[in-house]
Amino acid sequence: MIARATDDAATFQELVFPYLQRDPLINSNLLTNVADRVRGIMNDPEPPVFVSVHSDSHEVVGVAISTALRGIQLAGLPAELVPPVVDVLVEAAPKAIGVHGTEASAKLFAEQYGARTGRSFAVADRSRLHVLVDFVAQQADGSPRLATEADLEAVTPMFSAYRQEVGHPGEGSVVDRRWLLQRVERERLWVWENDGQVVTMVGHQSPVFGAVRVGPVYTPPAHRGRGYASALTAHVTQHLRAAGDQVCLNTDLTNPTSNKIYAAIGYRPVQDFVGYAFS
C-alpha cells in the first residue's frame, strides 16, 4: 500500500469519491468536508492535506484528511491502512491537533504518529453516528422556519457558543458569521422561533450520494429543557427525508440528553468513533 497527499480539493474529490460513495453514511464527514471545500464554503487558516491510500493496482482503498481546525479525520479507514497514512502525515501535517476515527484505527494512528512526532495524546471525545430509521415527530411551543440573513445577529453568538461547547473554537464572530451566511444562502440553516425570539438553530449538510447529515444543533442554556431542539431537529429531519435521502447525525456519547432526544426522533446507532488530542 502507498499513500499520497494533495492540497487540491477538486482533484481529490474526483479521485476518491467513487470509493467513498460505497458507504456514504460512514464517510459522511469526509464527503461533505471535501465537497464544501470544492464549493468554496470552507474556511481554513492553513491549507488542508488530503490523503488517498492506493493498492498495488493503484485502486483507492482508503482516505483521510487533515485540517487545521478539525485535525486528522480517518472516518472508516481500516486499521491495516493506518501506517501508510502516518508515513505521509508526519511530514505533511506534523502539528495536527488530533485524530478522529474508529477505536482501533484512531488509537493505532495516535500511537504511531505520536511516537514519530514526539507528541503525547489523550482521549478528547467519543461520538456516535446515527441514521434515521423510524421517524417520530416532536412538539414544542413556537414554529420552525429557514433562517434568513436577518437572523445572523441571533445565530452567530449561538454558533460561537456551540463551537466552544464541542471543543472546536473558531476564528471569531466575523468568520462564524460568514460561515453561517453561506449556509443561509444555500438554505442549510433552520431556526425555531417562539414569541418572536429565535431559541434554537439546526443546520445540515448538502446531500452527497443519497446521504445527508444534520448538524450543528444548538440551543442557548436559557432556552433548554423546553423541547425546542427536539422539535426543530425532527422538522429538519422530516424535510430532508422527504427528499428521499438517508438522514444521519453525530452525537457526543458523554451527552445523554442529546442521545435521548435523537433516539426519540427515530435515530439508531451505526458506528462509534473516538477522538485523540495531541499535545
Side-chain angles (χ1 to χ4, degrees):
M1 301 294 174
I2 186 171
R4 299 169 182 159
T6 181
D7 61 1
D8 187 327
T11 298
F12 188 70
Q13 176 177 282
E14 184 177 358
L15 174 66
V16 306
F17 271 32
Y19 166 79
L20 293 176
Q21 76 177 74
R22 299 174 190 174
D23 195 337
L25 289 176
I26 294 296
N27 295 317
S28 174
N29 280 302
L30 295 183
L31 286 164
T32 56
N33 197 302
V34 176
D36 277 355
R37 282 177 168 78
V38 173
R39 297 184 185 108
I41 59 171
M42 291 292 282
N43 306 298
D44 291 294
E46 298 175 14
V49 180
F50 305 111
V51 181
S52 55
V53 184
H54 302 259
S55 67
D56 293 341
S57 61
H58 307 293
E59 178 186 6
V60 174
V61 294
V63 175
I65 64 175
S66 176
T67 65
L69 298 179
R70 294 297 180 90
I72 296 161
Q73 304 290 315
L74 303 178
L77 184 78
E80 61 267 24
L81 300 184
V82 165
V85 176
V86 172
D87 288 341
V88 167
L89 290 179
V90 293
E91 299 294 334
K95 296 182 180 180
I97 62 172
V99 61
H100 189 267
T102 60
E103 181 73 54
S105 295
K107 185 176 182 180
L108 179 61
F109 187 97
E111 291 172 343
Q112 295 189 358
Y113 180 90
R116 292 177 61 178
T117 58
R119 303 174 68 191
S120 59
F121 60 91
V123 173
D125 64 83
R126 293 187 181 276
S127 61
R128 177 169 291 161
L129 173 68
H130 302 255
V131 65
L132 182 72
V133 177
D134 299 306
F135 176 74
V136 180
Q138 307 292 308
Q139 303 298 322
D141 292 336
S143 58
R145 61 174 173 80
L146 278 168
T148 69
E149 188 170 350
D151 294 313
L152 291 177
E153 293 301 321
V155 298
T156 299
M158 286 189 190
F159 185 57
S160 299
Y162 163 81
R163 282 189 183 275
Q164 292 292 330
E165 285 196 12
V166 299
H168 296 304
E171 297 178 273
S173 60
V174 173
V175 174
D176 286 348
R177 185 184 179 94
R178 182 167 69 245
W179 190 95
L180 291 164
L181 177 59
Q182 291 169 333
R183 273 71 188 171
V184 167
E185 292 172 343
R186 290 162 175 80
E187 298 188 342
R188 286 169 43 179
L189 186 68
W190 297 74
V191 295
W192 190 270
E193 190 173 50
N194 188 36
D195 290 334
Q197 185 176 12
V198 172
V199 294
T200 294
M201 58 168 279
V202 172
H204 65 82
Q205 304 297 323
S206 294
V208 185
F209 299 122
V212 58
R213 192 173 75 257
V214 174
V217 177
Y218 186 76
T219 302
H223 299 299
R224 292 176 184 174
R226 304 175 192 179
Y228 299 140
S230 295
L232 184 54
T233 302
H235 175 81
V236 173
T237 296
Q238 187 176 38
H239 170 77
L240 297 172
R241 186 183 70 159
D245 296 305
Q246 292 189 90
V247 189
C248 63
L249 52 75
N250 293 304
T251 64
D252 178 355
L253 286 178
T254 66
N255 187 336
T257 300
S258 65
N259 282 274
K260 182 179 179 181
I261 285 172
Y262 300 134
I265 295 171
Y267 284 95
R268 300 294 179 261
V270 175
Q271 176 70 56
D272 286 1
F273 297 95
V274 60
Y276 290 92
F278 295 117
S279 59

